[in-house]
Amino acid sequence: MSSRPHRAPTIYDVAQAAGVSKSLVSLVLRGSPSVSEARRTAVLEAMARLDYRPSQAASALAGAATRTIGVLIDDYRNLWFVELLRGLQEGLAEHGFRIAVADHTLNAHVEASPLDGFLSMRVDGLVIATEPSAAMRVPEGLPVVVAGHRQAVVPGADVVANDDRLGARRATEHLLGLGHRGIGHLTGGGGAARLRADGFAEAMSAAGPAPRTVPGNGATTEEDGYVAAARLLDEAPATTAVFAANDTMAMGALAAARERGLRVPEDLSVIGYDDSPIASTHLLDLTTVDSRNARIGAMAAERLMARFAGNGGPPGCSLLSPELVVRGSTAPPRPGS
C-alpha cells in the first residue's frame, strides 16, 4: 500500500499555527530583537510542533532576499495597468523590492487559484489589480492590496482606487455643460465599469435626458468599444456625444464614427476614462478622466511597506478623486443637432 507523501510545512503554516503574520515569523527566523518574547515563544513552539525546518530558500525568504511583490492583472491589453505599474514600481524600488506581473486569465486552465503561481514563488506581498473573486484565496498574514477595485474585496486587504462613480459624473457633466443632450455611454464587464455606468446614469438623470447605456461584447477592449459605438450610432443617429468606460473603448468608438463619416468633435464628441498613454497622443487628442493610476500604484506600495513594518493598522479603503482632462475630442454640438 502506498501513501501520499507528507507535504513539508511552510513558513505560512508556522504563521497560522502561531497566530501571527508571515512577516513576524520571518523576524523570528532572523533573530530580530523587535519581536516580543511571547510572540517569539509562540513561533518557536509552532515550529517545533510542525517539525518546521527552514530550507536555504526559506531562510532567504525569511531575510526578505526575494523582495518580490506579485501583481495580478486580468488583461495585458488594458492600458490602465501602464501607469499603475509605473507608480507601484517607483514606490517599491526605493525599498529594494521588484514586481512580478501575471495575467490570471492566461493560466486559468492550469491553476486552481489565480494566486497559485505567486504563492509558489513565495512573494512577500500581493497587489490584486483585477476584480477579486472567491477563488483568490490569500494566506493569512500575507500583505495584500487591492488596486483599482473596491467591490468583492479580499478579506484583510487594503484597497486603493479612484472614485469611478465621481469620475463618470464629471465626464458626463462636461458633455452636458457643452450643450449635449444625445449622450450615449459605452460600458463593459467588471466593477469599475459598473460604477462608471452608475455615475453616468446619475448625472444624466439629474440633468433630465434619459441615460442610454450600450454594452459591447462584455469586456472593455477596443473591439467592445467599436461594437457598442456602432450599435449606438446606428440605433440612435441623433447621438452627439459618446462617453466610453475607458480610453481603449473610446478608440473603438472613434473607429466606428469614422466609418460612418462622422467627424470628431465637429459631429460627435468622444470622451474616455483613465488618461492612458494613448489619450495624449496627437492622433487621438482624447478628452478623458485621469483616474490617477500612477498614484494608486504608489499608494499600494506605501500600504505594503506599512504592513511590512507592522504599523499598517486595520485594513482601509482609500478613494482618490479623479480629474477631468479636456483635450480636442469634445466640443459643443453643431447648431440644430
Side-chain angles (χ1 to χ4, degrees), residues 225-321:
Y226 173 83
V227 169
R231 184 178 303 146
L232 171 67
L233 296 173
D234 291 344
E235 294 178 357
T239 299
T240 62
V242 169
F243 165 41
N246 62 17
D247 294 344
T248 309
M249 292 191 80
M251 289 177 59
L254 292 170
R258 182 181 61 190
E259 285 186 357
R260 286 154 181 76
L262 298 175
R263 299 168 299 163
V264 175
E266 292 85 355
D267 303 316
L268 182 73
S269 286
V270 178
I271 183 169
Y273 203 111
D274 285 333
D275 197 23
S276 58
I278 63 168
S280 60
T281 60
H282 294 296
L283 179 63
L284 296 188
D285 196 26
L286 183 67
T287 296
T288 185
V289 177
D290 181 359
S291 49
R292 304 177 66 190
N293 294 323
R295 181 59 186 147
I296 289 175
M299 289 183 66
E302 292 171 4
R303 290 295 179 89
L304 287 171
M305 291 304 106
R307 293 295 173 199
F308 294 149
N311 56 7
C317 178
S318 297
L319 292 183
L320 281 68
S321 179

Side-chain angles (χ1 to χ4, degrees), residues 171-198:
T172 309
E173 288 165 357
H174 169 66
L175 295 173
L176 290 166
L178 290 172
H180 292 279
R181 290 300 179 268
I183 305 172
H185 177 54
L186 314 182
T187 190
R194 288 193 293 271
L195 290 171
R196 293 170 191 180
D198 289 345

Side-chain angles (χ1 to χ4, degrees), residues 95-191:
H95 300 282
F97 284 81
R98 61 183 177 180
I99 60 175
V101 184
D103 182 339
H104 78 83
T105 61
L106 298 179
N107 296 318
H109 62 293
V110 296
E111 293 178 345
S113 166
L115 304 179
D116 282 350
F118 286 134
L119 298 181
S120 66
M121 291 170 56
R122 305 242 183 153
V123 294
D124 296 294
L126 286 169
V127 173
I128 298 177
T130 181
E131 190 164 7
S133 70
M136 296 180 188
R137 298 181 294 274
V138 179
E140 186 177 351
L142 183 68
V144 181
V145 177
V146 175
H149 297 267
R150 52 191 172 106
Q151 296 180 325
V153 176
V154 174
D158 291 298
V159 177
V160 183
N162 95 98
D163 191 335
D164 294 288
R165 187 179 279 111
L166 173 60
R169 288 203 304 268
R170 288 180 173 169
T172 309
E173 288 165 357
H174 169 66
L175 295 173
L176 290 166
L178 290 172
H180 292 279
R181 290 300 179 268
I183 305 172
H185 177 54
L186 314 182
T187 190

